[in-house]
Each structure stands twice: as structure tokens, then as C-alpha cells.
Amino acid sequence: MRLRENTFAKIITLIILLLIPIILLYTLSMQTSMQVIKEEVHSLQQKDINFLADEFNKSVTTLSSLGFLLSEDIHIQQLQTLHLIESAYERNDERLRIMERLRLLNVSQRWDTQYSILAPANQEFVSTNTYVTYDLESVKEQLAPNWKYQEMVTQNIVQQRFVRHIVKPKSKLVDLDRAGIIVEISFPEEHIIKDLDTFKETGKGDPFLYHLQGDTIQNKTANQAMIDEIHALVQSGALKPNASNDPVNIGGKRYLVTFALIPTLNWYLVDYVPIENMLQPIVKTQVLFYVSVVLLLILGLLAAYLLYRNVQRPISLLIRNVKRLQEGNYSTRITVNPKNEFSYLFARFNDMAAETERLIEKVYVEELRRREANVKQLQSQINPHFLYNCFALIRSLARLDKKESVMMMSMHLAKYYRYTTRVEKLTATLKEELQLLESYLEIQKFHIQHMSYRVDVPESMLRLELPRLLLQPIVENAVLHGIEQFDGDGLITIRGESAAGWHSIIVEDNGVGMTEEALQALERELMHAPDDHTGCALWNIKQRMLLQYGPSASLSFEIRKQGGLAVKLTWQAQP
């Protein structure tokens, strides 16, 4: 069955055509959604990082502002002239007021900051950290006009702190011994680590502070390996702190890394988030969709299989058996029982095939009877006058004492009637038919002295099966209507031809022949069944040819140029 006629193939194609646009549209929608979510997550993460960086920056800026205020405070500047106060009690009281002022500033801040005031001229020193002592050389070594991350030792305790020095006047930065006031502000990295931990506890990544020289300040549970990877990417140029970066591949996973600059410290706040964590809900939805599509496809294929089994296969079976009926196999039956509506169709088909077979057998039997009746009719058509004339001729020959002629005449007459009266078989070989014609023509030669005949049939055709008495009426017409009324020497020729799968028998005579009008009238008569006014011999021959060899068989006539008529029987060779 061709594909365009196959219902099953059409339904399968329809299912696929329905699924393809759904999958394509969903895939496009998922890609768009993922891109939007990536951008939104990146924006939110950048906002969170910027917020924390701004908080750091505000705190450090506040500390810097307080440092400048301290350097400008008139009470703090009195530290430069503290040695001029004669009373030790008053000098100590002034130191205590300055220290109290520093402590009040420290208490008002979010971070525990260390403020230290140094007057190099009189070597006076005040600090919120009572454990710190005056050491101008140490200040010179650690001098930081801007915020600087460095190691500091207090009471043998090593700390990493951010430090800044404000020198008044500013011009004395290169000569601290002559400076009026030196204000030192410092805070430990623990405050930043604490803020990083708080930020991380909200579920917002794994933040850390990063300096381009490679220094880092990490939260307490930071992933050192990830920080090292990010540092390597920054050094290689794959990550740029001052730009919006695309996701990078770290350890086989995709990460979105965000940077935010803390201007006062000149450090970067860095955070990273795995892409798969951000897209996990969408990925789950996508997996769920594709699983649903696969299940839908499986169910569709199952439905298609059920359709194929319960509809397509019965239809194909029905079509196959209908073709067998068309090919003439009327015994075909459908034995499958699909247990659905097709059971009724198959039962009706079997009934129809059985009825058709019965009718065909009936018609075939009737046809056999009709053909047998035709043969008997032909046999009954044998002119009894021919027999009477033969007996009269035998009597005349006996009077003339022509014993040999009487014997020949009797032998041929016996052969002729023995063959024509056999009815047990409706067909005969061409060889048997030719023997009958020879007996008939030999008998006719006793009546018509000027007649002769010739038989030219290939040996390969002698075994061909023909309907009995098919050629005798044609030869008889040639004798009676062609040669008997001819004044010259009459000749009847019987030829056989076989080529390209076709066989032909031609009976020719050189007798009086027929006119063109008479021949056309004869051909018109053969197109209709005979009646009481027309002969039936040639019509019977044509019908028997059609019954025996099918519609391709033919009976044709031709007026010979040499005189007389040619009658040709043609049929296709049977396998």
C-alpha cells in the first residue's frame, strides 16, 4: 500500500508533526527564560555585592572622616603643647580627656576601631588601645597616607589590619619628626570577615575581598580552591574585575563571578554563584517537560501500535484478500479473528467469497455444458447429404468395379465419422484435427476431380490443444463455396504459423472468393448471435475461440489477390 493511502502512516506522521513544533517552541522558550534568569540573577547578585561593598566603603569613609576631624580638633591639637603644662596632674587630666574623646568616637562606630594620636615634637602619645606604646620608628615603617592592609604586632599578637595615617600638617609626610599631629586609624580584618560571614549566611554566595596583588580576606568557611581558581583567572585575563563577565568554567562547572570595587580600600568584593544552582528550577522543569514528551511519545506509539494492530493490519489483510479475489483466487478466506468490528467485516467477506466461488463454479459448469452442447450442435450440423452422397459414390464405384477406390473411400469415411462422433473429450490436438481434414478432403476429391490440397504446419504446433471440430467447418466452406463452383484447378492450403507467443492457422483457397461488400456483411453477421436466417458455423467457431483462449483470440477473413479467400484463426500461446 502506498504511503499516501496508508492511514497508519498518516497518523504517525501527524503525531510527529504535532510534537516537533511543541518541542521547538518549548526549547526556544526555555532558552529565552534561562537567558532572562541569568541576566536577572547577575543583576541581583551585582546589586547585593554592590550593597555590601557600599557598606564597607561607607564605614571606611566614616573612619577616614573621623580621622580628619580628630586631626583638626582643637582639643586634640593641644597634645602638641601638653609639655608646656607645668602640673603633672593637669597634664594627665588632659590626656584622659583626649582618650575619653577617642573612646566616645570608637563606641559610636560599627566597628571596633583603634585611634592613636602622636605628637612627635614632645613625644606625647594617646591611644584607645592602652597596650600600644609610642614608637615613631614603627609609624615611619608603617606609614599609610591611604588605607593599607598590613601586619601589625600588639603585645606579641600578630594581626592583619587596615591602617591609615593623617599627618598635620600634610607637608610633613616626608619628615614625621617635625609633624605636629599624627592620627593613626586602624581596624582588624575580623570586622570584615564577620560581615562576610553574615552576608554568606543569607544564602548569597561565598564572598571574599580580593586585591589585585593577590591578597584576600575570606569568610570563615570560604572555599580556598575556588578563590585560587578565580585569582588564576584574573591573572590570566579571563576575568576582568572592572567589567561584566560571562560565566566561566571552574572545575567542570559554570560559575557567574561578580566584582564590586571598594574605592576607599582599593579592594574588590568578589562573589561567585554556580549557574546550575540558579537554573536548577528551570532545569527541573525542562527535564520534567522532556520526560513528559517522552512519555507522550511512548503513549502515542502505543496508541499507534494498537491502531496498527486493530485497524491497519485488518485493513491490509482485507485488501490483500480482495486482491486475491481480483486475481481469480476465489477460495481465499480470512481466518483471523481481531475481536472487534472487523470480525463482522471478515465474516461478510468470507460469505461473499464463498458465494462468489459458488456462482463462479455454477457459471463454469454451465459454460462447460454450453460448450459441450456447441460441440454436439456442430456434430449434428454435419450435412447428412454428405453421407448420402458418399454412399451413392461408393455404389457407383462398386458398379464400375473400382475396388481400390471403394476401399479408400470407405476408410476415409470411417475415420471421418469416428472422429466427429466422439464426445467424451471437447479438445483435440492439432494433429488429430489435421487428420480429420485430410480424410474429409480425400473424400471430397472423389466428388471434385479438379481439387487438390496442401498442409503446411510446423511440427512444433501439432501438439497444440484445440476445440474439437474447430477447423472442419472452415475447410468445408472453402470446398463448397470456393472450389466446387470454380472452373479451374482448385487448391486448398492449410498453413500454421507460430511466432512471438502467438499461434495462427490459415485456410486458403483459390476459388471464386467473395466481394468486398459480401465480406463486410459476413463480418457484421459474426458480431451477433445467429438466427433462423443466418448460419451458425462461423459464429460458433468464433465463440469457441473466445471461450478457449480469451478475448485476445480472433477469427479474420482476407480476400486473396490471387483469387479466393483466406480464413485466419489467431490465439495467444498459453503458459
Side-chain angles (χ1 to χ4, degrees):
M1 182 182 294
R2 289 176 296 183
L3 181 61
R4 61 185 179 89
E5 298 177 353
N6 194 319
T7 304
F8 175 72
K10 289 180 180 178
I11 293 178
I12 292 296
T13 304
L14 179 61
I15 293 175
I16 294 175
L17 291 178
L18 287 175
L19 288 178
I20 288 176
I22 293 175
I23 295 174
L24 291 178
L25 289 175
Y26 183 81
T27 302
L28 180 61
S29 175
M30 285 295 101
Q31 290 178 349
T32 304
S33 300
M34 286 185 176
Q35 185 62 31
V36 171
I37 289 177
K38 286 179 183 178
E39 294 175 358
E40 289 297 323
V41 170
H42 183 271
S43 176
L44 292 174
Q45 187 184 21
Q46 188 69 55
K47 288 180 180 180
D48 292 337
I49 291 298
N50 288 340
F51 175 78
L52 183 59
D54 287 341
E55 290 295 316
F56 285 145
N57 192 64
K58 288 178 182 179
S59 298
V60 176
T61 301
T62 300
L63 294 179
S64 297
S65 299
L66 291 175
F68 281 106
L69 289 175
L70 288 174
S71 66
E72 299 292 338
D73 192 317
I74 189 172
H75 298 287
I76 300 299
Q77 291 183 357
Q78 289 180 0
L79 189 63
Q80 301 178 63
T81 60
L82 192 62
H83 64 282
L84 300 177
I85 299 175
E86 296 180 359
S87 172
Y89 174 80
E90 291 179 358
R91 288 198 300 272
N92 187 57
D93 186 57
E94 187 64 27
R95 288 191 192 95
L96 291 175
R97 281 199 300 270
I98 294 173
M99 186 178 296
E100 186 66 23
R101 192 175 188 85
L102 295 179
R103 288 176 178 174
L104 288 174
L105 288 175
N106 188 28
V107 170
S108 65
Q109 299 304 309
R110 189 166 63 90
W111 291 342
D112 182 12
T113 309
Q114 176 179 306
Y115 296 96
S116 299
I117 309 296
L118 175 66
N122 56 12
Q123 297 184 354
E124 289 292 338
F125 177 76
V126 179
S127 176
T128 56
N129 188 350
T130 58
Y131 298 103
V132 178
T133 59
Y134 171 80
D135 187 356
L136 183 60
E137 294 301 322
S138 176
V139 172
K140 290 180 180 180
E141 293 177 0
Q142 298 177 354
L143 181 64
N146 295 311
W147 287 100
K148 184 178 180 182
Y149 182 68
Q150 59 187 353
E151 184 179 282
M152 299 181 68
V153 179
T154 303
Q155 287 188 335
N156 297 323
I157 299 175
V158 179
Q159 285 185 322
Q160 294 294 128
R161 302 178 68 92
F162 282 95
V163 181
R164 182 174 184 179
H165 296 90
I166 299 173
V167 180
K168 287 293 183 176
K170 189 175 181 180
S171 59
K172 302 301 181 180
L173 276 172
V174 295
D175 188 8
L176 295 182
D177 293 324
R178 298 175 126 188
I181 293 295
I182 299 175
V183 179
E184 181 184 275
I185 312 164
S186 69
F187 61 91
E189 65 177 3
E190 282 78 9
H191 298 312
I192 293 178
I193 294 174
K194 183 178 180 181
D195 287 346
L196 292 176
D197 290 337
T198 303
F199 186 84
K200 184 174 182 179
E201 287 175 0
T202 61
K204 297 181 178 180
D206 188 19
F208 63 94
L209 262 65
Y210 173 77
H211 195 270
L212 292 179
Q213 294 180 353
D215 294 331
T216 60
I217 299 176
Q218 308 168 13
N219 62 77
K220 294 180 180 179
T221 58
N223 187 337
Q224 185 62 48
M226 285 294 301
I227 294 175
D228 293 341
E229 289 285 346
I230 292 174
H231 172 65
L233 291 172
V234 171
Q235 294 300 314
S236 66
L239 284 175
K240 298 179 180 180
N242 294 321
S244 179
N245 295 282
D246 295 327
V248 293
N249 190 14
I250 302 176
K253 292 183 179 181
R254 303 282 290 174
Y255 287 87
L256 184 62
V257 183
T258 309
F259 294 86
L261 178 64
I262 304 174
T264 53
L265 299 179
N266 199 26
W267 281 55
Y268 287 92
L269 179 62
V270 185
D271 194 12
Y272 60 91
V273 177
I275 297 293
E276 63 180 15
N277 289 354
M278 297 186 298
L279 302 179
Q280 189 172 10
I282 294 183
V283 171
K284 287 183 179 179
T285 304
Q286 190 174 24
V287 171
L288 181 62
F289 171 78
Y290 286 122
V291 170
S292 301
V293 169
V294 171
L295 291 177
L296 181 61
L297 181 60
I298 293 174
L299 292 176
L301 293 176
L302 179 60
Y305 170 73
L306 294 176
L307 178 66
Y308 172 77
R309 180 177 179 181
N310 294 284
V311 177
Q312 186 61 34
R313 283 179 59 186
I315 290 177
S316 301
L317 186 61
L318 188 61
I319 291 174
R320 187 162 57 250
N321 283 273
V322 168
K323 287 182 178 179
R324 289 177 182 173
L325 283 180
Q326 290 178 340
E327 294 169 356
N329 185 6
Y330 299 104
S331 63
T332 183
R333 298 291 185 274
I334 301 177
T335 58
V336 177
N337 183 13
K339 296 181 180 179
N340 53 30
E341 293 83 354
F342 282 95
S343 298
Y344 177 80
L345 290 178
F346 289 171
R348 300 292 76 77
F349 174 84
N350 291 336
D351 294 342
M352 180 192 69
E355 183 66 16
T356 302
E357 184 179 21
R358 186 184 66 79
L359 292 175
I360 292 295
E361 291 178 353
K362 181 179 179 181
V363 171
Y364 180 72
V365 171
E366 292 295 331
E367 185 62 33
L368 290 178
R369 291 176 180 174
R370 189 169 72 85
R371 292 173 65 182
E372 184 177 354
N374 286 336
V375 174
K376 292 181 179 179
Q377 181 184 8
L378 288 173
Q379 290 174 341
S380 66
Q381 287 176 356
I382 298 174
N383 194 344
H385 295 291
F386 174 70
L387 180 59
Y388 301 152
N389 291 337
C390 288
F391 284 143
L393 182 57
I394 291 173
R395 180 180 178 186
S396 298
L397 292 174
R399 269 184 196 171
L400 296 174
D401 198 22
K402 294 183 178 181
K403 296 181 180 179
E404 292 296 328
S405 297
V406 172
M407 291 175 61
M408 290 295 296
M409 183 72 175
S410 300
M411 181 186 67
H412 287 299
L413 188 61
K415 288 181 179 181
Y416 179 80
Y417 276 98
R418 183 184 300 113
Y419 184 83
T420 57
T421 55
R422 291 174 59 187
V423 296
E424 71 277 1
K425 187 178 180 183
L426 298 179
T427 60
T429 62
L430 179 57
K431 181 178 181 181
E432 292 174 339
E433 283 287 292
L434 293 177
Q435 289 174 352
L436 170 68
L437 296 180
E438 289 178 359
S439 297
Y440 173 76
L441 291 172
E442 287 292 338
I443 294 173
Q444 290 292 0
K445 284 176 66 176
F446 285 102
H447 291 283
I448 306 171
Q449 300 296 323
H450 60 280
M451 184 191 77
S452 62
Y453 68 90
R454 184 172 70 246
V455 179
D456 183 14
V457 177
E459 183 71 24
S460 59
M461 294 181 64
L462 296 179
R463 292 186 297 275
L464 296 178
E465 290 283 335
L466 300 174
R468 292 174 64 85
L469 301 176
L470 188 69
L471 302 177
Q472 193 273 339
I474 298 175
V475 174
E476 184 177 349
N477 285 339
V479 173
L480 299 181
H481 302 293
I483 302 301
E484 189 174 18
Q485 302 175 15
F486 185 57
D487 295 334
D489 293 334
L491 175 63
I492 294 178
T493 303
I494 303 172
R495 294 187 295 109
E497 296 177 355
S498 181
W502 290 84
H503 302 307
S504 298
I505 298 293
I506 303 99
V507 179
E508 299 176 333
D509 67 83
N510 61 348
V512 295
M514 298 179 68
T515 63
E516 190 69 33
E517 293 78 7
L519 180 60
Q520 292 178 2
L522 175 61
E523 289 177 344
R524 284 194 298 270
E525 289 179 1
L526 292 179
M527 296 176 65
H528 307 284
D531 52 26
D532 296 338
H533 304 289
T534 59
C536 64
L538 293 177
W539 188 84
N540 277 339
I541 291 173
K542 182 178 179 181
Q543 295 303 314
R544 295 176 69 197
M545 287 282 293
L546 294 175
L547 289 172
Q548 181 72 22
Y549 302 112
S552 60
S554 63
L555 171 64
S556 60
F557 306 90
E558 182 183 359
I559 298 175
R560 300 177 70 239
K561 295 180 180 180
Q562 301 89 346
L565 188 70
V567 182
K568 185 177 182 180
L569 296 175
T570 304
W571 68 93
Q572 191 174 12
Q574 296 179 338

